[in-house]
C-alpha cells in the first residue's frame, strides 16, 4: 500500500510551513477588517484547524480509494461536502464562542460564501496533490513489480542455460569414460576423478553470478585435463593473460562451452595434433577473451554462431548486458576465432 504524502518528512515540513504562513495571513486579514488580535487569532485557529483536519482526511482517503478517470466527479462531490461541513462547524463553534460580539457575528454571517470558497479551494488542491501522489506511487509499484518479474524470468533463463550446459558436457565425458574402461582402465579412473572435481567446483559456483577470471581459468583447467584424457597427445592448450585480468569479473562457466566448441571444430574432423590458444586482455574497461583453434576447411566449415554452446553464451551475455555484440566468431585462413567481451561496469 502506498504511503500518504504527509508521512514523508520533507513534504510534511513544506506543508506545515505553508499552513503557518496561511494561518498568519488569515490573522492579518482579520485585523485589517478592524478586529483585535485575540479575535483574529481565534477565528484563524478554529477555521484552519478544521481545514487541516479535512486535508489530512483527504490525504488518507485516497490512500484507500483512488477513483478511476470516469469517476473523477466523485472528487468534486467529496470536496464540496467537506467544505460545507467545515463551514457549518465553524459557524456553530464561532457563534457559540463569540455570542457577545455582535460586530463579529455580523461579519461572520456575511463571510460564509468566501469561507466556503477558500475551504473548497484548499481541500481541492490537497485532493489533486494526493491523487497525483498516489497515482505516481501506484505506477512506481507496478514498475517495480514488472522489473522484479523480468529479473526473476531472466534469472530463471540464466539458470536453465547453465543447467543445460552440464549434461551436454557430462554426456561426452561419460561416453569417453565408457570407451576407456575396457582398453585403458587407469585413464578411465583418472578421468572419473577429474570429472568429479570439475562437477564439485561447478556446483560451488551455482549460486554465484560473477566470478574472477583467475577462478574461472582454474575451473577451465580442470575441464581441459578431462579433455586431454579423452584426446591424449592430439590436444594441447595455451593460456595467456595479462596480470590485470586476474581480478576482472565474468559469469561463471562462460568459457567452458566456448573452449568445448573449439575442441569440437579442431579435433573431431582430424587425427592430427591440435593446439588451442586462449588469451585474455583488458581493453576499454572490458575483459576480452579470444579462443583460437585450427580447422580443416575441406572437412569442416564452422558457421557463425553454430552450436548450442556458443548460442547459450550469446544468450547469457544478452540477458546480463542487453547487448548482442559481445560474442563474435570469424575465420582467418585455417583458424576459427571466437572473441568474447565482458563489460566490467558491473
Amino acid at each position: 500500500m502506498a504511503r500518504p504524502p504527509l508521512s514523508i518528512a520533507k513534504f510534511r515540513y513544506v506543508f506545515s510551513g505553508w499552513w503557518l504562513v496561511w494561518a498568519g495571513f488569515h490573522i492579518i486579514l482579520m485585523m485589517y477588517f478592524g478586529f483585535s488580535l485575540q479575535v483574529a487569532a481565534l477565528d484563524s485557529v478554529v477555521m484552519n484547524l478544521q481545514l487541516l483536519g479535512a486535508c489530512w482526511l483527504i490525504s488518507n482517503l485516497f490512500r484507500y480509494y483512488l477513483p478511476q478517470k470516469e469517476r473523477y466527479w466523485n472528487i468534486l462531490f467529496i470536496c464540496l461536502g467537506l467544505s460545507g461541513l467545515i463551514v457549518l462547524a465553524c459557524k456553530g463553534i464561532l457563534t457559540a464562542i463569540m455570542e457577545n460580539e455582535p460586530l463579529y457575528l455580523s461579519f461572520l454571517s456575511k463571510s460564509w460564501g468566501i469561507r466556503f470558497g477558500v475551504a473548497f479551494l484548499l481541500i481541492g488542491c490537497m485532493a489533486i496533490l494526493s491523487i497525483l501522489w498516489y497515482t505516481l506511487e501506484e505506477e512506481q509499484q507496478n514498475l517495480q513489480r514488472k522489473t522484479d518479474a523480468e529479473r526473476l524470468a531472466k534469472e530463471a533463463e540464466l539458470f536453465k542455460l547453465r543447467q543445460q550446459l552440464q549434461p551436454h558436457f557430462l554426456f561426452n565425458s561419460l561416453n569417453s569414460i565408457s570407451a576407456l574402461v575396457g582398453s585403458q582402465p587407469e585413464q578411465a579412473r583418472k578421468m572419473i576423478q577429474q570429472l568429479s572435481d570439475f562437477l564439485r567446483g561447478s556446483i560451488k559456483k551455482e549460486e554465484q553470478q560473477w566470478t574472477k577470471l583467475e577462478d574461472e581459468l582454474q575451473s577451465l583447467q580442470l575441464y581441459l585435463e578431462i579433455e586431454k584424457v579423452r584426446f591424449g597427445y592430439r590436444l594441447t592448450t595455451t593460456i595467456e593473460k595479462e596480470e590485470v585480468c586476474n581480478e576482472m569479473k565474468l559469469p561463471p562457466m562462460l568459457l567452458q562451452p566456448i573452449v568445448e566448441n573449439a575442441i569440437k571444430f579442431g579435433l573431431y574432423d582430424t587425427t592430427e595434433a591440435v593446439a588451442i590458444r586462449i588469451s585474455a586482455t583488458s581493453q576499454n574497461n572490458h575483459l576480452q577473451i579470444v579462443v583460437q583453434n585450427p580447422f580443416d576447411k575441406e572437412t569442416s566449415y564452422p558457421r557463425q554462431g553454430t552450436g548450442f554452446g556458443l548460442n547459450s553464451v550469446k544468450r547469457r551475455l544478452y540477458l546480463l548486458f542487453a547487448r548482442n555484440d559481445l560474442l563474435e566468431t570469424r575465420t582467418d585462413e585455417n583458424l576459427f576465432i571466437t572473441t568474447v567481451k565482458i563489460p566490467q561496469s558491473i
Side-chain angles (χ1 to χ4, degrees), residues 104-169:
Y104 174 78
L105 293 176
S106 175
F107 171 81
L108 193 62
S109 64
K110 296 176 182 179
S111 63
W112 294 125
I114 295 176
R115 290 175 187 268
F116 179 84
V118 170
F120 178 74
L121 180 63
L122 293 177
I123 293 173
C125 287
M126 190 64 188
I128 292 172
L129 287 174
S130 297
I131 289 173
L132 291 174
W133 172 273
Y134 289 120
T135 300
L136 181 61
E137 285 279 299
E138 186 177 28
E139 288 180 356
Q140 289 178 339
Q141 289 177 357
N142 290 337
L143 180 61
Q144 185 63 45
R145 283 193 293 269
K146 182 180 178 182
T147 302
D148 290 343
E150 290 176 348
R151 177 179 56 81
L152 289 173
K154 183 179 75 173
E155 289 177 355
E157 185 172 354
L158 283 169
F159 180 77
K160 180 182 177 182
L161 287 170
R162 289 169 61 182
Q163 291 303 301
Q164 287 174 326
L165 281 173
Q166 285 191 9
H168 186 259
F169 158 69

Side-chain angles (χ1 to χ4, degrees), residues 130-268:
S130 297
I131 289 173
L132 291 174
W133 172 273
Y134 289 120
T135 300
L136 181 61
E137 285 279 299
E138 186 177 28
E139 288 180 356
Q140 289 178 339
Q141 289 177 357
N142 290 337
L143 180 61
Q144 185 63 45
R145 283 193 293 269
K146 182 180 178 182
T147 302
D148 290 343
E150 290 176 348
R151 177 179 56 81
L152 289 173
K154 183 179 75 173
E155 289 177 355
E157 185 172 354
L158 283 169
F159 180 77
K160 180 182 177 182
L161 287 170
R162 289 169 61 182
Q163 291 303 301
Q164 287 174 326
L165 281 173
Q166 285 191 9
H168 186 259
F169 158 69
L170 188 58
F171 293 151
N172 290 337
S173 299
L174 290 176
N175 287 334
S176 297
I177 292 171
S178 176
L180 290 171
V181 166
S183 59
Q184 303 179 57
E186 287 298 325
Q187 289 291 82
R189 280 194 291 270
K190 180 181 178 182
M191 191 169 182
I192 290 171
Q193 183 60 49
Q194 291 171 335
L195 179 61
S196 174
D197 292 340
F198 176 79
L199 293 177
R200 188 181 296 111
S202 65
I203 290 172
K204 289 180 181 178
K205 292 185 176 183
E206 204 60 48
E207 300 300 324
Q208 301 175 12
Q209 182 153 0
W210 303 102
T211 186
K212 295 179 182 178
L213 176 65
E214 187 175 21
D215 297 334
E216 181 72 1
L217 289 179
Q218 289 177 0
S219 297
L220 184 63
Q221 196 64 49
L222 282 172
Y223 165 74
L224 289 172
E225 290 298 326
I226 295 171
E227 294 296 71
K228 286 176 182 178
V229 174
R230 291 177 63 197
F231 296 104
Y233 75 92
R234 295 175 55 210
L235 174 62
T236 59
T237 57
T238 303
I239 299 178
E240 300 172 351
K241 60 178 177 175
E242 295 178 352
E243 195 66 28
V244 70
C245 295
N246 281 334
E247 298 298 315
M248 300 181 83
K249 301 291 185 69
L250 73 163
M253 305 299 293
L254 189 77
L255 298 183
Q256 185 252 322
I258 298 176
V259 175
E260 185 174 1
N261 188 76
I263 293 173
K264 173 184 175 182
F265 283 117
L267 287 163
Y268 282 17

Side-chain angles (χ1 to χ4, degrees), residues 14-148:
V14 172
F15 182 79
S16 300
W18 178 86
W19 205 267
L20 288 173
V21 170
W22 165 251
F25 176 75
H26 189 146
I27 292 173
I28 293 172
L29 188 63
M30 291 292 293
M31 293 176 67
Y32 175 79
F33 284 108
F35 296 104
S36 66
L37 176 61
Q38 182 180 0
V39 172
L42 181 63
D43 186 281
S44 177
V45 167
V46 172
M47 181 75 180
N48 288 302
L49 278 179
Q50 293 188 78
L51 281 174
L52 187 61
C55 287
W56 178 86
L57 179 64
I58 281 287
S59 173
N60 284 273
L61 172 65
F62 292 125
R63 184 184 182 188
Y64 302 98
Y65 168 69
L66 194 62
Q68 303 300 318
K69 291 181 180 180
E70 62 273 9
R71 296 189 177 181
Y72 277 172
W73 285 104
N74 293 351
I75 302 171
L76 176 63
F77 298 139
I78 291 171
C79 293
L80 288 171
L82 276 176
S83 301
L85 288 174
I86 287 174
V87 169
L88 290 175
C90 283
K91 180 179 179 180
I93 294 170
L94 291 174
T95 300
I97 296 174
M98 307 293 289
E99 58 182 353
N100 297 324
E101 298 284 344
L103 184 62
Y104 174 78
L105 293 176
S106 175
F107 171 81
L108 193 62
S109 64
K110 296 176 182 179
S111 63
W112 294 125
I114 295 176
R115 290 175 187 268
F116 179 84
V118 170
F120 178 74
L121 180 63
L122 293 177
I123 293 173
C125 287
M126 190 64 188
I128 292 172
L129 287 174
S130 297
I131 289 173
L132 291 174
W133 172 273
Y134 289 120
T135 300
L136 181 61
E137 285 279 299
E138 186 177 28
E139 288 180 356
Q140 289 178 339
Q141 289 177 357
N142 290 337
L143 180 61
Q144 185 63 45
R145 283 193 293 269
K146 182 180 178 182
T147 302
D148 290 343

